[in-house]
Amino acid sequence: MNPETHYAKSGDTCIAYQVIGAGPQDLIVVPGWMSNIEVFWEEPAVARFLQRLASFSRVILFDKRGTGLSDRLGDLPNLETRMDDVRAVMDAVGSARATLCGYSEGGVMCALFAATYPQRTNALITIGSYARQRPGPGYPWGRSQEQQDKFLDTIRGDWGGPVGLDLRAPSLAGDNRVRQWWARFLRMAASPAAALALTRMNYEIDVRHVLSAIHVPTLLLHATGDLAVDVHCSRYMAERIEGAKLVELASADHLPWAADAETILDEIEEFLTGARHCAEPDRILATLLFIDIVGSTDHAAQLGDRRWRDLLQGFYGVVRHALPHFRGVEVNTTGDGMLATFDGPARGVRCARAIADGVQALGIAVRCGLHTGECEVIDNSIGGIAVHTAARVAALAQPSEVLVSNTVKDLVAGSGLGFEARGTHTLKGVPGEWPLFAQTHANPI
């Protein structure tokens, strides 16, 4: 469930914010170019990033005025006004002191806040940030005027699409789902005119003169191949902030939830808590069913691509029709098969028999293998030795046979299901020897 959005008053302006987690210290996340704190949660990578931060801190997330869900009134504010907005949000949530964590342009404002309000700043963290975006004497890095003008033209012509994603996250830029989300995120974050104004304003920011006035613990993170902000920008800051720690990341991504997300999160957690915590994966006990079409390669060669695809869809249809009747959950497809889970082994066996019988009308046979064991939940999939065991059992099944491990057979005692022994086997990659059993047709399904 996504966190609730609230509003803090900063003068006459309403600033949208969210609070997640209940850790021992407050962490204010200051977004970069623009944001929408509700659309953030629509992208799993961003949600995972924020949830991990909330596992060791109380995270305070907000939309800067003029963007996202915050008021969009009049001209865009300067950094001084935006710092007032941060203090207003801190006051609204009862935060006397906090660590400020900003990425890209958000890091600039965090640096100024840390120098201006050290009494309210525990520490400073910047990700892919800078003190100045425009190159100049003694500061040769940044976006040239020609590059700036070209980007402004892109905003004018292409706003509504995934503007800037190729530059900010090359590791994600080829994913059409992410591109669609990024385009929606930008549309919900700012209008075309506001995007132009924000881009122009960010280009004029220069906080080089305040770096030496920062006296709180500071962590700077930056990808060495960052295409949006040169890593030299963070190196420059690290040389001028007393005691600052610079961590360089081996990617070309600018957005913190992209390729470097786990490293960034580990560094932040260690910086704030003194230790890196590797969360135990979620584990569940489940009955796993592997289903595999017998002779799929021969079928494909005989039928041709189009008819084979039609047959495959028919097979999936039979499986997907059967699963809900036995409380089965589809995990994934494997080209010519499927993996599903069940909360009870008897339901898994009965479902397998229904599928093995049902696909015969399509002119095909399947192998079905079942095993019950503890699995790791990984995003929307599962893993672990139990999955490998079920796959190996299925590989040994005969056409139209439902083959189960002794674990399944023992757990369904008293269910009315009958089995015939199929010998003891060594399963490749699985320790020990495994007695296997075939479910018999003579028992009620």
Side-chain angles (χ1 to χ4, degrees):
M1 181 178 296
N2 295 345
E4 293 183 3
T5 297
H6 303 279
Y7 284 91
K9 288 297 291 288
S10 179
D12 293 328
T13 302
C14 291
I15 306 299
Y17 71 88
Q18 296 175 343
V19 178
I20 56 173
Q25 54 186 308
D26 290 342
L27 178 65
I28 298 178
V29 176
V30 182
W33 187 27
M34 57 187 65
S35 68
N36 184 301
I37 55 176
E38 292 192 354
V39 181
F40 266 150
W41 296 96
E42 296 176 6
E43 169 49 44
V46 182
R48 283 195 300 271
F49 187 87
L50 295 173
Q51 287 163 349
R52 170 74 184 281
L53 291 177
S55 71
F56 55 84
S57 62
R58 183 173 74 139
V59 175
I60 303 163
L61 183 66
F62 73 101
D63 284 330
K64 293 173 289 188
R65 66 167 66 195
T67 67
L69 302 175
S70 293
D71 280 344
R72 306 185 188 186
L73 304 174
D75 296 332
L76 289 172
N78 56 28
L79 289 179
E80 181 179 348
T81 304
R82 286 186 165 176
M83 288 194 296
D84 290 340
D85 296 343
V86 172
R87 290 191 299 150
V89 172
M90 291 178 69
D91 292 342
V93 301
S95 177
R97 291 173 64 89
T99 294
L100 271 76
C101 175
Y103 61 90
S104 196
E105 182 268 331
V108 183
M109 198 265 279
C110 290
L112 184 59
F113 190 99
T116 308
Y117 303 108
Q119 73 277 12
R120 302 205 67 172
T121 308
N122 282 327
L124 168 66
I125 301 170
T126 71
I127 306 168
S129 194
Y130 52 87
R132 172 183 167 122
Q133 204 174 60
R134 182 198 293 268
Y139 192 88
W141 315 286
R143 186 186 298 165
S144 69
Q145 186 63 56
E146 181 182 1
Q147 291 171 320
Q148 170 76 349
D149 292 341
K150 184 177 180 181
F151 188 50
L152 291 172
D153 286 341
T154 300
I155 293 173
R156 292 187 188 97
D158 299 337
W159 199 253
V163 171
L165 183 61
D166 294 0
L167 198 67
R168 287 165 174 77
S171 71
L172 301 176
D175 188 325
N176 189 56
R177 181 191 58 77
V178 176
R179 296 182 73 83
Q180 291 177 4
W181 169 79
W182 180 253
R184 169 173 160 75
F185 172 71
L186 296 184
R187 292 193 301 270
M188 297 297 103
S191 66
L196 287 168
L198 280 164
T199 303
R200 292 192 187 99
M201 184 188 75
N202 290 345
Y203 196 60
E204 301 303 323
I205 291 174
D206 188 347
V207 298
R208 289 178 296 171
H209 59 287
V210 309
L211 298 178
S212 61
I214 297 173
H215 300 296
V216 298
T218 300
L219 172 65
L220 311 174
L221 299 140
H222 209 125
T224 56
D226 192 328
L227 301 177
V229 177
D230 195 302
V231 68
H232 284 92
C233 296
S234 282
R235 292 173 182 171
Y236 178 93
M237 291 194 293
E239 291 173 357
R240 288 159 177 80
I241 300 175
E242 182 180 359
K245 177 184 178 181
L246 172 63
V247 177
E248 297 187 5
L249 310 163
S251 87
D253 282 344
H254 180 64
L255 297 177
W257 54 80
D260 298 312
E262 290 304 316
T263 302
I264 289 172
L265 290 163
D266 286 345
E267 291 290 345
I268 292 175
E269 183 173 15
E270 184 173 30
F271 178 68
L272 294 181
T273 69
R276 301 187 185 199
H277 174 67
C278 296
E280 287 292 324
D282 291 335
R283 301 183 71 85
I284 61 171
L285 182 69
T287 296
L288 301 109
L289 166 63
F290 265 98
I291 314 156
D292 180 54
I293 298 175
V294 177
S296 57
T297 302
D298 291 339
H299 281 300
Q302 293 170 7
L303 296 174
D305 290 342
R306 187 174 65 179
R307 291 180 60 200
W308 167 245
R309 285 195 301 270
D310 291 343
L311 179 61
L312 201 57
Q313 289 307 310
F315 160 70
Y316 290 145
V318 171
V319 176
R320 288 166 179 155
H321 176 75
L323 287 176
H325 292 286
F326 299 94
R327 292 185 4 206
V329 177
E330 177 182 338
V331 177
N332 56 48
T333 58
T334 58
D336 56 358
M338 186 179 289
L339 168 62
T341 61
F342 298 83
D343 58 5
R347 280 188 288 274
V349 174
R350 291 189 169 102
C351 185
R353 172 48 56 203
I355 292 168
D357 292 344
V359 298
Q360 292 180 14
L362 300 174
I364 59 174
V366 293
R367 300 182 183 90
C368 297
L370 295 104
H371 173 64
T372 300
E374 195 175 36
C375 312
E376 294 180 7
V377 179
I378 307 168
D379 294 333
N380 294 321
S381 188
I382 57 173
I385 192 65
V387 177
H388 296 290
T389 303
R392 299 291 183 258
V393 173
L396 294 173
Q398 297 299 310
S400 299
E401 187 174 63
V402 176
L403 195 65
V404 307
S405 68
N406 61 311
T407 306
V408 172
K409 174 181 173 293
D410 292 345
L411 288 172
V412 300
S415 66
L417 292 168
F419 298 91
E420 294 179 354
R422 289 290 188 264
T424 300
H425 300 260
T426 299
L427 307 180
K428 184 179 179 181
V430 180
E433 293 188 334
W434 291 82
L436 301 182
F437 301 84
Q439 187 268 329
T440 60
H441 286 263
N443 294 276
I445 301 299

